Amino acid sequence: MQNKLLAALSLLGFLIFMGCDNTQEHRVIKLGHGLDVNHSVHKAMVKMGEDLAEISGGKMELEIYPSQQLGTERECVELLQIGSLDMTKVSVGVMENFAPKMKVFGLPYLFRDKEHAFQILDGPIGKQLLDEGEDYWIKGMGYYDAGSRSFYTKEKPIEEPSDLKGMKIRVMESASAIEMVKSLGGSPTPISWGELYTSLQQGVVDGAENNPPSFYLSRHYEVCKYYSLDEHTLLPDVLIIGKHTWDHLSDQERVWLQEAVDKSVTYQRVLWEDSEKEALEAVKAAGVSVILPNKEPFSEKTKSVYKQYEQDPEIKELIDQIKSNR
């Protein structure tokens, strides 16, 4: 009897010991996102999967579900929170609902140029904000380039802020995007990305705002024949992982995954440059009028958005830190 008890205790101890080691023989990470397979972000994710398999010696694998197969951006975030999905990509505009300080990135004309933006995103401020969603069971891992967002419309071009007066403009579920459109005289209308093409066709909205590759790959140029490059926000995408998943990875697996993410970020930013040029050429060839408005009136008109956010001491400090890095 005593020998059986000792054997049982030994087995229990072994199982507990094994339970303390989170490393699995083969770990599959499921990643869902809403973009087309031709998008630079998806291509970067494919590379991330290849790098992850190589770095981990085949012990980790990435399964990618593109094109909203698992839901909208917000739905994918919610799946992360309950542990039903491991990773996803979201715009910072969506992310600010889960990491409130990230709304600073949605402020219009915050960055001088892309070099300034990357300096902030890859530096202490950007890294600090990647951890802002932990209370919501989300951890940021890196920033993909999503270029600058500009207005595209159906009936008339946007050449100056007054052209937006009374127009219904689709925006993300983002407080900063809503306030930005309001400051320019437009009527912001949150609509999910997957429903936007039909909404434009049916006149639910008069236009939207996004970067050139998204405008092109979504085929919104078939409906909207005016694209005004006011470049009001330089809003990155964020690659995030659910805390449920992160907490169950071993230290070694975290290192492998982060290294693969970092490589994909570098790769995606190179792809993005080419995809922007290709997208603008393609929409022009399809009959879209690309307008280059004077940005100064837009910048001046949107300064009112800053006054609201500067009432928040933490956001004001972030704004000051970002501007002082110019």
Side-chain angles (χ1 to χ4, degrees):
M1 183 70 178
Q2 187 174 7
N3 289 339
K4 288 183 179 179
L5 179 60
L6 287 172
L9 289 173
S10 297
L11 177 60
L12 179 61
F14 174 74
L15 292 173
I16 292 173
F17 172 77
M18 290 298 290
C20 292
D21 181 5
N22 289 334
T23 303
Q24 294 184 354
E25 284 298 315
H26 184 73
R27 173 94 61 181
V28 177
I29 302 291
K30 293 186 178 180
L31 189 161
H33 69 86
L35 297 174
D36 185 273
V37 294
N38 293 311
H39 199 287
S40 63
V41 165
H42 178 78
K43 293 177 180 178
M45 290 171 174
V46 171
K47 176 172 173 53
M48 179 170 66
E50 293 168 352
D51 287 337
L52 182 61
E54 182 179 347
I55 292 165
S56 68
K59 292 182 179 178
M60 295 186 77
E61 175 188 347
L62 194 65
E63 274 186 8
I64 306 172
Y65 299 86
S67 306
Q68 290 194 359
Q69 289 181 35
L70 302 182
T72 64
E73 283 199 341
R74 190 180 184 95
E75 288 167 345
C76 282
V77 173
E78 290 167 352
L79 289 174
L80 252 66
Q81 291 177 305
I82 62 174
S84 296
L85 181 65
D86 299 313
M87 297 181 72
T88 190
K89 183 285 307 176
V90 294
S91 169
V92 159
V94 173
M95 189 65 180
E96 71 183 41
N97 295 295
F98 305 95
K101 288 182 185 177
M102 275 197 176
K103 64 188 174 187
V104 71
F105 293 143
L107 290 172
Y109 303 103
L110 175 68
F111 300 113
R112 181 183 67 252
D113 51 30
K114 189 168 286 190
E115 184 180 358
H116 178 216
F118 287 162
Q119 179 186 349
I120 297 301
L121 295 174
D122 297 337
I125 295 174
K127 289 176 180 176
Q128 169 199 332
L129 293 181
L130 286 176
D131 293 330
E132 278 295 306
E134 292 200 357
D135 288 345
Y136 295 86
W137 295 94
I138 298 165
K139 175 180 172 56
M141 299 199 72
Y143 298 98
Y144 285 142
D145 188 0
S148 297
R149 299 176 75 92
S150 296
F151 293 110
Y152 51 89
T153 48
K154 290 176 62 178
E155 304 298 336
K156 66 175 183 178
I158 305 301
E159 296 179 330
E160 54 188 45
S162 60
D163 292 330
L164 283 158
K165 188 174 181 180
M167 294 186 73
K168 292 176 289 183
I169 302 296
R170 180 267 177 181
V171 294
M172 297 176 288
E173 292 183 46
S174 157
S176 54
I178 289 170
E179 293 304 320
M180 182 269 298
V181 171
K182 282 182 179 178
S183 73
L184 293 170
S187 177
T189 309
I191 294 174
S192 74
W193 181 245
E195 297 173 359
L196 181 52
Y197 188 100
T198 303
S199 297
L200 287 165
Q201 274 186 321
Q202 296 177 350
V204 176
V205 288
D206 303 306
E209 48 88 48
N210 216 316
N211 55 58
S214 294
F215 177 47
Y216 171 56
L217 292 172
S218 63
R219 306 187 75 86
H220 292 170
Y221 66 88
E222 295 175 345
V223 185
C224 296
K225 293 300 181 180
Y226 300 100
Y227 193 26
S228 303
L229 298 180
D230 66 298
E231 299 184 323
H232 44 261
T233 50
L234 210 163
L235 208 61
D237 283 335
V238 191
L239 190 61
I240 59 177
I241 187 169
K243 283 283 289 173
H244 292 283
T245 298
W246 184 256
D247 290 345
H248 282 84
L249 296 181
S250 69
D251 290 343
Q252 181 62 77
E253 287 172 329
R254 292 177 183 176
V255 170
W256 288 334
L257 183 57
Q258 187 64 62
E259 184 178 345
V261 167
D262 293 343
K263 285 177 178 289
S264 78
V265 165
T266 301
Y267 181 67
Q268 187 271 339
R269 290 180 183 178
V270 173
L271 290 180
W272 181 265
E273 293 294 328
D274 293 335
S275 68
E276 274 195 330
K277 295 172 187 173
E278 291 170 3
L280 285 173
E281 289 173 2
V283 297
K284 286 178 183 178
V288 172
S289 296
V290 176
I291 298 98
L292 300 174
N294 179 5
K295 297 177 189 177
E296 189 58 36
F298 290 87
S299 177
E300 192 64 32
K301 195 79 173 172
T302 56
K303 283 183 178 176
S304 59
V305 178
Y306 281 81
K307 292 178 182 177
Q308 298 179 42
Y309 286 94
E310 285 178 347
Q311 304 302 313
D312 183 331
E314 291 184 331
I315 296 296
K316 185 179 187 308
E317 183 180 356
L318 282 172
I319 292 170
D320 292 341
Q321 287 176 350
I322 290 170
K323 288 187 172 181
S324 68
N325 271 274
R326 287 179 181 270

